[in-house]
Amino acid sequence: MYASSFLLAFCLALGLVQATVYSLEDDYTDDFFGNFDFFTGPDPTEGWVDFLSYDDASASGLIKSTNPPSWGVDNNNVISPDNSAGRPSVRLTSKKTYNQGLFILDLAHMPHSACGVWPAFWTFSQTAQWPAGGEIDIIEYTNLGINDLMSLHTTDGCSIAGDSQYMTGELESNVCDVSQGSGCSINNTDSTSAGTGFNKAGGGVYAMEWTHELIQIWYFAAGSVPPSITNGQPDTALFGKVTALFQGTCNIDNHFYDHAMIFDLTFCGAWAGATFGDDGCQVLSGYDSESSCINYVGNNPHAFDNAYWTVNSLKVYKVGSNSQASSPSSGTSAVPAASTSSVGLTSQSAALGVSTSIYARSTSAASTTTSSATPTYSHYHHGPPSRRHAHRNQYDW
C-alpha cells in the first residue's frame, strides 16, 4: 500500500518531498536530574500520590540510578488508605521551556501496567493558565492499559481532521477544546506502545514534532528505530507513516507555547481512579472505583516493583544545521521554527505515507526560555481521554 524507500528517494530527488533539517539543541542525558525541577505540590489531577523532592526521593531510594537515569515510586511500605498524602512518587518538570522543535525520547523501561497507575510523559505551557498555552500528551495510559493515548488539550477554536489515511493511530476524539470535551486524542493500536507491552518488547522511541502547522508523534519499538535517529541526524521525512497526526482547524502558534517537558507517575485520581473497575481492577464491596483504587495502591506496595522509568536518552532538536548543542539549563536561545517549503502533492505524499509532506512550511522565528516561574492552572489535568466521557462530569475541570 505504501511506497518503497526507492519511491521516497525518487520523490526527494525531484524535490516533491522536502525534509526539514534538524540539529541538536539539548541533550538531557548528562546531568539528567539537574535539568529538571522536582514538583512537590498536591497533584493537580487529584491523584493519591506524594511527590518528593530530589533529596527525599534519593534518600527514599526512588532514584535508582543517575546513569542511565532511572526513577520510580515507593514499593516497600504499606500506606493506610486514610493517609491523605498517598504513595511517594516523582514528578519532573524541565527547567527549560520550548516553542516548537523535535523531541525524541529513547526509553529502556516505563512504568508497567498495574491497577492504580497513571504514568505520563507530556508537555504543557509554563506561562499561561491551563488550558491556554496548550498541552501535548506523548505517553499516557492507566491501570492495566498497554496502548498509549496521545492527546492535545486547548482552549476553544482547535480541532483536528483525524484522517486515518495519514496515520497508523485510531482517532478517539477530534475536538481539542476542553470546554467541549476532554481534548482531542489518538490511540496507538500497537500493544507494545505502553506499559508492560512496551517493556516486554525491550523498550522503544517516541518522537514528537511540533511546527507552526501541526503536531505529530511517531512510536518506534526497539529494533525498528529509524537510522537517522540512532545516528543523531533525525530526518522526519524518513520516519515513515506517523502514529498520530494533530492537524486541522487549529492555529498552533496561538494554542501552544512555552512548554516544559514533564514525567510523572500518579495513582488513582481523575482518570485511573475513575476507571479502576472498568479497566479490570477489583472494586471492593461497599467501595466506589476511586476508593477501591486507593485501597489497592496503599496495601500492595510490591505491585509497583516495576513502576519506574529508565531513560536511554532525551534530546531536543531545532530546525537548522551545524549548531552546537547547549545545556538545557543554559538559558534563552533562538530557535528557527520551520524551514523548507513542501507545498503540493498532498495526495501523492499521503499515498507514500510521508507525513512531513502533507503541509506547507513557512520560515519564521520562535524562542526557548528557561522556566523560572511556577505556572498557574485551575483544575489542571492530562486526561481522561474522550472515551472516558461517562466519568468526566464527576470532576470540576
Side-chain angles (χ1 to χ4, degrees):
M1 178 178 179
Y2 302 108
S4 66
S5 57
F6 172 80
L7 288 176
L8 177 56
F10 177 75
C11 289
L12 285 167
L14 291 179
L16 302 182
V17 176
Q18 297 185 25
T20 299
V21 176
Y22 281 102
S23 63
L24 182 64
E25 179 177 9
D26 293 318
D27 187 342
Y28 280 75
T29 309
D30 295 330
D31 191 26
F32 182 87
F33 293 112
N35 290 310
F36 285 87
D37 290 323
F38 282 66
F39 177 85
T40 57
D43 181 16
T45 65
E46 302 176 352
W48 194 67
V49 64
D50 181 15
F51 290 124
L52 302 186
S53 67
Y54 174 81
D55 289 341
D56 289 342
S58 297
S60 300
L62 273 59
I63 294 176
K64 301 176 182 297
S65 173
T66 58
N67 187 23
S70 183
W71 68 99
V73 303
D74 174 86
N75 62 335
N76 294 311
N77 300 298
V78 172
I79 301 173
S80 169
D82 295 329
N83 184 327
S84 60
R87 184 161 295 283
S89 183
V90 169
R91 173 167 161 161
L92 304 176
T93 305
S94 66
K95 293 179 179 178
K96 189 170 181 178
T97 62
Y98 298 89
N99 288 281
Q100 304 177 16
L102 179 63
F103 303 74
I104 298 182
L105 173 66
D106 183 342
L107 279 177
H109 191 280
M110 68 172 71
H112 69 316
S113 308
C115 290
V117 302
W118 181 0
F121 171 63
W122 45 292
T123 73
F124 87 111
S125 178
Q126 302 295 285
T127 59
Q129 181 170 329
W130 189 92
E135 176 185 336
I136 306 168
D137 296 325
I138 302 166
I139 300 174
E140 187 174 24
Y141 55 100
T142 59
N143 295 315
L144 301 175
I146 54 174
N147 297 96
D148 177 39
L149 192 80
M150 300 153 286
S151 306
L152 304 184
H153 304 285
T154 70
T155 52
D156 62 348
C158 182
S159 63
I160 61 171
D163 195 328
S164 61
Q165 69 176 314
Y166 299 129
M167 62 183 182
T168 63
E170 182 179 85
L171 181 68
E172 294 273 346
S173 172
N174 70 334
V175 178
C176 308
D177 172 11
V178 299
S179 71
Q180 302 298 315
S182 54
C184 53
S185 56
I186 296 166
N187 185 50
N188 191 336
T189 58
D190 188 334
S191 61
T192 72
S193 63
T196 299
F198 177 90
N199 298 329
K200 286 183 176 179
V205 169
Y206 273 91
M208 185 270 284
E209 185 180 33
W210 166 14
T211 75
H212 285 296
E213 287 78 29
L214 56 73
I215 292 165
Q216 54 188 352
I217 300 170
W218 290 264
Y219 164 65
F220 307 106
S224 64
V225 181
S228 71
I229 289 180
T230 57
N231 68 22
Q233 297 178 321
D235 184 347
T236 57
L238 302 177
F239 282 9
K241 196 170 186 180
V242 71
T243 308
L245 174 62
F246 295 96
Q247 184 181 35
T249 307
C250 188
N251 186 314
I252 298 295
D253 289 347
N254 286 349
H255 286 285
F256 299 91
Y257 49 86
D258 301 336
H259 278 213
M261 296 181 290
I262 295 133
F263 290 90
D264 77 317
L265 172 52
T266 187
F267 298 99
C268 306
W271 183 8
T275 61
F276 186 77
D278 294 342
D279 290 339
C281 302
Q282 183 181 7
V283 175
L284 301 175
S285 177
Y287 289 76
D288 61 15
S289 184
E290 171 73 9
S291 59
S292 293
C293 181
I294 292 173
N295 187 283
Y296 180 83
V297 171
N299 286 298
N300 294 278
H302 292 298
F304 310 109
D305 288 349
N306 290 309
Y308 63 90
W309 302 88
T310 300
V311 173
N312 289 326
S313 67
L314 173 59
K315 298 178 181 180
V316 180
Y317 293 83
K318 63 181 179 180
V319 173
S321 60
N322 300 321
S323 297
Q324 184 69 33
S326 65
S327 167
S329 57
S330 62
T332 302
S333 62
V335 180
S339 60
T340 59
S341 174
S342 174
V343 298
L345 288 182
T346 300
S347 59
Q348 291 93 329
S349 61
L352 285 169
V354 182
S355 58
T356 54
S357 65
I358 67 174
Y359 55 90
R361 296 179 183 274
S362 60
T363 302
S364 66
S367 65
T368 60
T369 61
T370 300
S371 174
S372 59
T374 301
T376 58
Y377 40 69
S378 176
H379 302 296
Y380 159 73
H381 73 111
H382 53 95
S386 58
R387 63 186 173 192
R388 308 301 189 189
H389 278 173
H391 301 279
R392 184 181 182 276
N393 291 333
Q394 297 180 45
Y395 304 99
D396 179 18
W397 289 334

